[in-house]
Amino acid sequence: MKYTFRKIFIVAFCSIFVVIGLPSLLSGLHSGNTFNLLWGGGFVLLPAAIAIYWLKQLSRFQKMTYEWYKSAHPDHLNGNRVSCFVCGNDRIHVRALMNRTFHREHFCTQCGKTLYYSPEQS
């Protein structure tokens, strides 16, 4: 439910910029005005690119969980101890991700591969 609200918010927020920039972009296309093309294109394309990035990131957080890692790489678990599926190292560190994602990344200290994500504890 939490992810659904975030996805709706991201799409709605970026749609505001599309609505603002689209008339300017169309005007620039019609008249050949370079400023309107750049201004309108910036308002339309940049938020669309940001929305696509955010939605992919949320999808990655939903998919790549500890439960997913256990089922995808069962030979790299020893009890609750996780090892890297790329290099086999068992030293896994955790770091908080920035930009208000409220998630942590679990990664291998040897090769740097991200293994899975977990939500931050409140």
PDB file of all heavy atoms in Angstrom, residues 32-53:
ATOM      1  N   GLY A  32       8.769  27.400 -34.348  1.00  0.00           N
ATOM      2  CA  GLY A  32      10.209  27.245 -34.537  1.00  0.00           C
ATOM      3  C   GLY A  32      11.022  28.035 -33.523  1.00  0.00           C
ATOM      4  O   GLY A  32      12.224  28.209 -33.686  1.00  0.00           O
ATOM      5  N   ASN A  33      10.396  28.506 -32.467  1.00  0.00           N
ATOM      6  CA  ASN A  33      11.062  29.279 -31.421  1.00  0.00           C
ATOM      7  C   ASN A  33      11.916  28.334 -30.570  1.00  0.00           C
ATOM      8  O   ASN A  33      11.407  27.459 -29.888  1.00  0.00           O
ATOM      9  CB  ASN A  33      10.005  29.998 -30.565  1.00  0.00           C
ATOM     10  CG  ASN A  33      10.630  30.931 -29.549  1.00  0.00           C
ATOM     11  OD1 ASN A  33      11.796  30.802 -29.216  1.00  0.00           O
ATOM     12  ND2 ASN A  33       9.836  31.865 -29.077  1.00  0.00           N
ATOM     13  N   THR A  34      13.219  28.536 -30.595  1.00  0.00           N
ATOM     14  CA  THR A  34      14.147  27.653 -29.893  1.00  0.00           C
ATOM     15  C   THR A  34      13.961  27.720 -28.385  1.00  0.00           C
ATOM     16  O   THR A  34      14.012  26.703 -27.698  1.00  0.00           O
ATOM     17  CB  THR A  34      15.608  28.026 -30.250  1.00  0.00           C
ATOM     18  OG1 THR A  34      15.738  28.023 -31.662  1.00  0.00           O
ATOM     19  CG2 THR A  34      16.582  27.035 -29.648  1.00  0.00           C
ATOM     20  N   PHE A  35      13.713  28.921 -27.861  1.00  0.00           N
ATOM     21  CA  PHE A  35      13.524  29.065 -26.419  1.00  0.00           C
ATOM     22  C   PHE A  35      12.323  28.242 -25.948  1.00  0.00           C
ATOM     23  O   PHE A  35      12.403  27.535 -24.953  1.00  0.00           O
ATOM     24  CB  PHE A  35      13.322  30.535 -26.038  1.00  0.00           C
ATOM     25  CG  PHE A  35      13.024  30.725 -24.580  1.00  0.00           C
ATOM     26  CD1 PHE A  35      14.038  30.632 -23.641  1.00  0.00           C
ATOM     27  CD2 PHE A  35      11.724  30.968 -24.137  1.00  0.00           C
ATOM     28  CE1 PHE A  35      13.763  30.784 -22.298  1.00  0.00           C
ATOM     29  CE2 PHE A  35      11.444  31.129 -22.799  1.00  0.00           C
ATOM     30  CZ  PHE A  35      12.469  31.036 -21.875  1.00  0.00           C
ATOM     31  N   ASN A  36      11.223  28.340 -26.676  1.00  0.00           N
ATOM     32  CA  ASN A  36      10.035  27.577 -26.289  1.00  0.00           C
ATOM     33  C   ASN A  36      10.277  26.071 -26.397  1.00  0.00           C
ATOM     34  O   ASN A  36       9.769  25.297 -25.587  1.00  0.00           O
ATOM     35  CB  ASN A  36       8.826  27.973 -27.136  1.00  0.00           C
ATOM     36  CG  ASN A  36       8.187  29.253 -26.676  1.00  0.00           C
ATOM     37  OD1 ASN A  36       8.525  29.782 -25.617  1.00  0.00           O
ATOM     38  ND2 ASN A  36       7.266  29.772 -27.473  1.00  0.00           N
ATOM     39  N   LEU A  37      11.041  25.671 -27.394  1.00  0.00           N
ATOM     40  CA  LEU A  37      11.362  24.245 -27.524  1.00  0.00           C
ATOM     41  C   LEU A  37      12.183  23.753 -26.320  1.00  0.00           C
ATOM     42  O   LEU A  37      11.888  22.709 -25.750  1.00  0.00           O
ATOM     43  CB  LEU A  37      12.149  23.990 -28.805  1.00  0.00           C
ATOM     44  CG  LEU A  37      11.348  23.918 -30.088  1.00  0.00           C
ATOM     45  CD1 LEU A  37      12.288  23.843 -31.284  1.00  0.00           C
ATOM     46  CD2 LEU A  37      10.429  22.720 -30.067  1.00  0.00           C
ATOM     47  N   LEU A  38      13.209  24.527 -25.951  1.00  0.00           N
ATOM     48  CA  LEU A  38      14.046  24.128 -24.820  1.00  0.00           C
ATOM     49  C   LEU A  38      13.289  24.210 -23.504  1.00  0.00           C
ATOM     50  O   LEU A  38      13.384  23.312 -22.662  1.00  0.00           O
ATOM     51  CB  LEU A  38      15.305  24.997 -24.767  1.00  0.00           C
ATOM     52  CG  LEU A  38      16.280  24.808 -25.922  1.00  0.00           C
ATOM     53  CD1 LEU A  38      17.424  25.788 -25.811  1.00  0.00           C
ATOM     54  CD2 LEU A  38      16.789  23.387 -25.960  1.00  0.00           C
ATOM     55  N   TRP A  39      12.554  25.292 -23.300  1.00  0.00           N
ATOM     56  CA  TRP A  39      11.801  25.485 -22.064  1.00  0.00           C
ATOM     57  C   TRP A  39      10.730  24.400 -21.917  1.00  0.00           C
ATOM     58  O   TRP A  39      10.635  23.738 -20.888  1.00  0.00           O
ATOM     59  CB  TRP A  39      11.170  26.877 -22.074  1.00  0.00           C
ATOM     60  CG  TRP A  39      10.345  27.189 -20.877  1.00  0.00           C
ATOM     61  CD1 TRP A  39       8.998  27.179 -20.784  1.00  0.00           C
ATOM     62  CD2 TRP A  39      10.822  27.572 -19.584  1.00  0.00           C
ATOM     63  NE1 TRP A  39       8.604  27.523 -19.534  1.00  0.00           N
ATOM     64  CE2 TRP A  39       9.708  27.772 -18.766  1.00  0.00           C
ATOM     65  CE3 TRP A  39      12.087  27.753 -19.048  1.00  0.00           C
ATOM     66  CZ2 TRP A  39       9.804  28.151 -17.442  1.00  0.00           C
ATOM     67  CZ3 TRP A  39      12.182  28.141 -17.721  1.00  0.00           C
ATOM     68  CH2 TRP A  39      11.053  28.336 -16.933  1.00  0.00           C
ATOM     69  N   GLY A  40       9.929  24.232 -22.936  1.00  0.00           N
ATOM     70  CA  GLY A  40       8.866  23.228 -22.888  1.00  0.00           C
ATOM     71  C   GLY A  40       9.417  21.819 -22.822  1.00  0.00           C
ATOM     72  O   GLY A  40       8.907  20.969 -22.084  1.00  0.00           O
ATOM     73  N   GLY A  41      10.473  21.557 -23.597  1.00  0.00           N
ATOM     74  CA  GLY A  41      11.089  20.232 -23.572  1.00  0.00           C
ATOM     75  C   GLY A  41      11.669  19.895 -22.213  1.00  0.00           C
ATOM     76  O   GLY A  41      11.561  18.761 -21.747  1.00  0.00           O
ATOM     77  N   GLY A  42      12.266  20.892 -21.569  1.00  0.00           N
ATOM     78  CA  GLY A  42      12.805  20.687 -20.227  1.00  0.00           C
ATOM     79  C   GLY A  42      11.713  20.370 -19.222  1.00  0.00           C
ATOM     80  O   GLY A  42      11.866  19.502 -18.364  1.00  0.00           O
ATOM     81  N   PHE A  43      10.582  21.076 -19.340  1.00  0.00           N
ATOM     82  CA  PHE A  43       9.477  20.834 -18.423  1.00  0.00           C
ATOM     83  C   PHE A  43       8.794  19.497 -18.687  1.00  0.00           C
ATOM     84  O   PHE A  43       8.174  18.933 -17.798  1.00  0.00           O
ATOM     85  CB  PHE A  43       8.430  21.958 -18.528  1.00  0.00           C
ATOM     86  CG  PHE A  43       8.583  23.010 -17.474  1.00  0.00           C
ATOM     87  CD1 PHE A  43       9.283  24.169 -17.731  1.00  0.00           C
ATOM     88  CD2 PHE A  43       8.032  22.825 -16.218  1.00  0.00           C
ATOM     89  CE1 PHE A  43       9.425  25.143 -16.759  1.00  0.00           C
ATOM     90  CE2 PHE A  43       8.163  23.780 -15.238  1.00  0.00           C
ATOM     91  CZ  PHE A  43       8.869  24.946 -15.505  1.00  0.00           C
ATOM     92  N   VAL A  44       8.881  18.991 -19.884  1.00  0.00           N
ATOM     93  CA  VAL A  44       8.221  17.726 -20.216  1.00  0.00           C
ATOM     94  C   VAL A  44       9.168  16.539 -20.023  1.00  0.00           C
ATOM     95  O   VAL A  44       8.827  15.555 -19.365  1.00  0.00           O
ATOM     96  CB  VAL A  44       7.681  17.754 -21.662  1.00  0.00           C
ATOM     97  CG1 VAL A  44       7.176  16.395 -22.075  1.00  0.00           C
ATOM     98  CG2 VAL A  44       6.582  18.795 -21.795  1.00  0.00           C
ATOM     99  N   LEU A  45      10.374  16.615 -20.571  1.00  0.00           N
ATOM    100  CA  LEU A  45      11.267  15.457 -20.585  1.00  0.00           C
ATOM    101  C   LEU A  45      11.987  15.206 -19.259  1.00  0.00           C
ATOM    102  O   LEU A  45      12.126  14.054 -18.854  1.00  0.00           O
ATOM    103  CB  LEU A  45      12.289  15.604 -21.710  1.00  0.00           C
ATOM    104  CG  LEU A  45      11.688  15.642 -23.117  1.00  0.00           C
ATOM    105  CD1 LEU A  45      12.778  15.862 -24.143  1.00  0.00           C
ATOM    106  CD2 LEU A  45      10.928  14.362 -23.404  1.00  0.00           C
ATOM    107  N   LEU A  46      12.439  16.255 -18.596  1.00  0.00           N
ATOM    108  CA  LEU A  46      13.172  16.061 -17.348  1.00  0.00           C
ATOM    109  C   LEU A  46      12.303  15.409 -16.268  1.00  0.00           C
ATOM    110  O   LEU A  46      12.716  14.413 -15.670  1.00  0.00           O
ATOM    111  CB  LEU A  46      13.767  17.379 -16.861  1.00  0.00           C
ATOM    112  CG  LEU A  46      14.643  17.280 -15.619  1.00  0.00           C
ATOM    113  CD1 LEU A  46      15.843  16.380 -15.896  1.00  0.00           C
ATOM    114  CD2 LEU A  46      15.099  18.650 -15.184  1.00  0.00           C
ATOM    115  N   PRO A  47      11.092  15.918 -16.003  1.00  0.00           N
ATOM    116  CA  PRO A  47      10.261  15.227 -15.000  1.00  0.00           C
ATOM    117  C   PRO A  47       9.892  13.801 -15.414  1.00  0.00           C
ATOM    118  O   PRO A  47       9.780  12.921 -14.567  1.00  0.00           O
ATOM    119  CB  PRO A  47       9.010  16.095 -14.899  1.00  0.00           C
ATOM    120  CG  PRO A  47       9.429  17.421 -15.386  1.00  0.00           C
ATOM    121  CD  PRO A  47      10.477  17.166 -16.420  1.00  0.00           C
ATOM    122  N   ALA A  48       9.711  13.573 -16.704  1.00  0.00           N
ATOM    123  CA  ALA A  48       9.404  12.217 -17.155  1.00  0.00           C
ATOM    124  C   ALA A  48      10.579  11.284 -16.864  1.00  0.00           C
ATOM    125  O   ALA A  48      10.381  10.157 -16.400  1.00  0.00           O
ATOM    126  CB  ALA A  48       9.075  12.218 -18.640  1.00  0.00           C
ATOM    127  N   ALA A  49      11.791  11.737 -17.107  1.00  0.00           N
ATOM    128  CA  ALA A  49      12.981  10.926 -16.833  1.00  0.00           C
ATOM    129  C   ALA A  49      13.130  10.673 -15.330  1.00  0.00           C
ATOM    130  O   ALA A  49      13.459   9.562 -14.908  1.00  0.00           O
ATOM    131  CB  ALA A  49      14.228  11.614 -17.377  1.00  0.00           C
ATOM    132  N   ILE A  50      12.867  11.694 -14.520  1.00  0.00           N
ATOM    133  CA  ILE A  50      12.950  11.535 -13.069  1.00  0.00           C
ATOM    134  C   ILE A  50      11.897  10.541 -12.584  1.00  0.00           C
ATOM    135  O   ILE A  50      12.175   9.692 -11.741  1.00  0.00           O
ATOM    136  CB  ILE A  50      12.801  12.908 -12.375  1.00  0.00           C
ATOM    137  CG1 ILE A  50      14.036  13.756 -12.657  1.00  0.00           C
ATOM    138  CG2 ILE A  50      12.595  12.743 -10.873  1.00  0.00           C
ATOM    139  CD1 ILE A  50      13.902  15.202 -12.230  1.00  0.00           C
ATOM    140  N   ALA A  51      10.683  10.647 -13.115  1.00  0.00           N
ATOM    141  CA  ALA A  51       9.617   9.722 -12.715  1.00  0.00           C
ATOM    142  C   ALA A  51       9.970   8.290 -13.070  1.00  0.00           C
ATOM    143  O   ALA A  51       9.764   7.370 -12.271  1.00  0.00           O
ATOM    144  CB  ALA A  51       8.296  10.125 -13.374  1.00  0.00           C
ATOM    145  N   ILE A  52      10.519   8.075 -14.234  1.00  0.00           N
ATOM    146  CA  ILE A  52      10.906   6.719 -14.647  1.00  0.00           C
ATOM    147  C   ILE A  52      11.984   6.168 -13.717  1.00  0.00           C
ATOM    148  O   ILE A  52      11.912   5.020 -13.283  1.00  0.00           O
ATOM    149  CB  ILE A  52      11.378   6.718 -16.116  1.00  0.00           C
ATOM    150  CG1 ILE A  52      10.176   6.962 -17.036  1.00  0.00           C
ATOM    151  CG2 ILE A  52      12.090   5.421 -16.466  1.00  0.00           C
ATOM    152  CD1 ILE A  52      10.549   7.231 -18.470  1.00  0.00           C
ATOM    153  N   TYR A  53      12.961   7.001 -13.356  1.00  0.00           N
ATOM    154  CA  TYR A  53      14.024   6.572 -12.444  1.00  0.00           C
ATOM    155  C   TYR A  53      13.447   6.207 -11.080  1.00  0.00           C
ATOM    156  O   TYR A  53      13.772   5.156 -10.515  1.00  0.00           O
ATOM    157  CB  TYR A  53      15.080   7.675 -12.303  1.00  0.00           C
ATOM    158  CG  TYR A  53      16.090   7.385 -11.236  1.00  0.00           C
ATOM    159  CD1 TYR A  53      17.108   6.461 -11.458  1.00  0.00           C
ATOM    160  CD2 TYR A  53      16.021   8.002  -9.994  1.00  0.00           C
ATOM    161  CE1 TYR A  53      18.034   6.176 -10.472  1.00  0.00           C
ATOM    162  CE2 TYR A  53      16.938   7.721  -9.007  1.00  0.00           C
ATOM    163  CZ  TYR A  53      17.945   6.814  -9.246  1.00  0.00           C
ATOM    164  OH  TYR A  53      18.854   6.525  -8.269  1.00  0.00           O
TER     165      TYR A  53
END
